[in-house]
Amino acid sequence: GAGVSQSPSNKVTEKGKDVELRCDPISGHTALYWYRQSLGQGLEFLIYFQGNSAPDKSGLPSDRFSAERTGGSVSTLTIQRTQQEDSAVYLCASSLALSYYNEQFFGPGTRLTVL
Amino acid sequence: AQTVTQSQPEMSVQEAETVTLSCTYDTSESDYYLFWYKQPPSRQMILVIRQEAYKQQNATENRFSVNFQKAAKSFSLKISDSQLGDAAMYFCAYRDSGGGADGLTFGKGTHLIIQP
């Protein structure tokens, strides 16, 4: 597609349920990033992928969070046993390569609400 | 760890006027990039302008320009001839050239209001 897409656009779930958030990067972009945007914490970097590999998972908020990327393309961020503090907008971005000078292109985000 | 500070939670400017948004950052690195991103209500982050730390010349993109003061670790954004479409949240961001997390470090943002 022309840009980064994310689905669903909005997700409402009950506390304790698992959710999956999807990101489709720009075709040909090898690097992919996940960020979380919340009122309390602002924009936080969560994890990045170079190809299908995520070398550093230390930015994930807890062990309830996991992410994977398959085929060097689509990525899924999974939150298990959701808590109310997980409510936020989850943004995905991709770039041509991992180098720091490459522009990151962002998707429209998924707004997650945990009741 | 690097930090980015935007001290103005909200700014208001008359249409066609000029406004400057402030950003300071803290880093021990010498090679890095600084960015200004715009986030309209649609939530999509859009890159406005970027500056390489080793370039002394301030970056300019049409009505948008920056004042980069490396020694002071300051990176302000000037918007000239403000337009209604400029209304949005503006985020200052940092990324260094080293290893590590490789994500962007963002400030808390400035909400820019354009008065018609």
Side-chain angles (χ1 to χ4, degrees):
Chain A
V4 178
S5 60
Q6 293 185 247
S7 61
S9 178
N10 292 282
K11 176 72 176 177
V12 180
T13 190
E14 293 180 349
K15 179 181 172 181
K17 300 278 190 181
D18 297 352
V19 295
E20 283 189 354
L21 312 180
R22 177 188 168 106
C23 172
D24 275 278
I26 293 172
S27 178
H29 280 194
T30 62
L32 185 146
Y33 313 81
W34 283 98
Y35 295 85
R36 181 170 73 173
Q37 185 174 23
S38 60
L39 283 175
Q41 300 298 321
L43 272 154
E44 305 169 84
F45 167 67
L46 299 179
I47 192 169
Y48 77 93
F49 287 88
Q50 173 59 29
N52 293 332
S53 174
D56 184 356
K57 300 180 181 178
S58 63
L60 294 175
S62 76
D63 58 9
R64 296 184 294 104
F65 286 70
S66 62
E68 66 174 13
R69 189 179 184 195
T70 55
S73 181
V74 171
S75 178
T76 303
L77 180 68
T78 301
I79 309 173
Q80 296 179 309
R81 305 180 302 282
T82 52
Q83 303 294 312
Q84 288 183 333
E85 62 261 30
D86 299 335
S87 294
V89 174
Y90 290 82
L91 294 167
C92 174
S94 71
S95 65
L96 196 58
L98 197 59
S99 300
Y100 74 119
Y101 50 81
N102 284 121
E103 179 180 348
Q104 293 185 22
F105 295 83
F106 283 79
T110 293
R111 181 179 296 281
L112 175 66
T113 303
V114 182
L115 301 177
Chain B
Q2 292 83 7
T3 57
V4 177
T5 302
Q6 293 179 251
S7 58
Q8 306 152 316
E10 186 172 281
M11 292 283 284
S12 182
V13 64
Q14 291 288 129
E15 193 176 2
E17 299 281 297
T18 295
V19 63
T20 299
L21 308 184
S22 301
C23 173
T24 58
Y25 59 94
D26 188 24
T27 184
S28 57
E29 301 291 331
S30 59
D31 193 12
Y32 49 88
Y33 258 87
L34 296 163
F35 307 84
W36 278 99
Y37 277 89
K38 170 185 177 181
Q39 187 180 41
S42 66
R43 294 197 311 241
Q44 187 129 17
M45 301 281 279
I46 302 163
L47 180 64
V48 174
I49 197 166
R50 61 180 166 180
Q51 174 81 40
E52 300 166 74
Y54 63 85
K55 284 191 175 179
Q56 293 186 346
Q57 187 172 6
N58 289 324
T60 300
E61 289 286 344
N62 300 312
R63 296 182 296 107
F64 300 86
S65 61
V66 298
N67 183 4
F68 174 48
Q69 302 288 329
K70 190 172 184 179
K73 295 180 182 173
S74 171
F75 182 60
S76 61
L77 174 69
K78 185 172 84 171
I79 307 174
S80 304
D81 185 26
S82 298
Q83 300 176 0
L84 294 177
D86 295 334
M89 284 293 294
Y90 285 81
F91 292 93
C92 180
Y94 165 99
R95 191 180 190 198
D96 67 47
S97 63
D102 279 302
L104 293 164
T105 300
F106 287 91
K108 296 288 189 187
T110 296
H111 181 210
L112 179 63
I113 299 167
I114 310 295
Q115 306 278 7

